[in-house]
Amino acid sequence: VLSPFRFVLFWRACGVCGALGYVLTDSQSMLPLIGATGCVSGLIVASVMLKPCGEMTFSLLGGTRRVPSYWVIGSWLLVQLFQYLWWHAEDEFSTLAQPGGAISGLLAFWLLCPRGIRLFECRHPEHGGT
């Protein structure tokens, strides 16, 4: 959906904001921070914005499950919040880089997406959508 130039802007904004999300909440940390998790988090959010009713398939408890993508991203964000609340003092990983990237991904994708692309719209083939 994004041109290569816009995608690079989007990717970098998510990485920088992911890193800033972590640094602003834990400025005394000595952990090395690369920023890739912020980028990937932004990309996940952008895909849900584009196809919120799309399904993700995964294996769980010995079976295959199909779950709407908005449930997956919502659950993932809650896990990130719980990780921060319970393990941020252990200084093992940068827990707020992911939500920082996700929030910036939401804003950056909305700003960089070409006009005419419908976001947050569920389209179903039986109703004339794709």
Side-chain angles (χ1 to χ4, degrees):
V1 171
L2 299 178
S3 68
F5 177 73
R6 287 182 180 197
F7 181 78
V8 168
L9 286 176
F10 168 78
W11 186 261
R12 293 200 180 217
C14 293
V16 168
C17 290
L20 286 175
Y22 177 66
V23 170
L24 291 174
T25 58
D26 196 1
S27 61
Q28 301 301 316
S29 176
M30 298 303 289
L31 282 177
L33 186 62
I34 297 171
T37 57
C39 297
V40 173
S41 301
L43 192 59
I44 291 169
V45 169
S47 69
V48 172
M49 291 172 69
L50 202 54
K51 294 183 181 183
C53 294
E55 291 184 331
M56 295 181 170
T57 304
F58 58 94
S59 296
L60 180 68
L61 302 173
T64 302
R65 306 284 188 254
R66 293 179 62 84
V67 178
S69 58
Y70 57 84
W71 282 105
V72 174
I73 190 68
S75 301
W76 177 79
L77 286 171
L78 285 174
V79 167
Q80 302 309 308
L81 176 64
F82 290 133
Q83 281 182 339
Y84 174 72
L85 293 175
W86 278 285
W87 292 295
H88 78 280
E90 293 178 17
D91 248 4
E92 293 178 11
F93 51 90
S94 56
T95 54
L96 286 184
Q98 295 93 341
I103 292 167
S104 66
L106 181 107
L107 296 173
F109 191 71
W110 178 70
L111 290 171
L112 294 170
C113 195
R115 301 301 162 227
I117 301 294
R118 295 178 184 240
L119 302 176
F120 298 109
E121 182 177 286
C122 292
R123 289 168 255 164
H124 300 284
E126 64 271 9
H127 297 107
T130 55

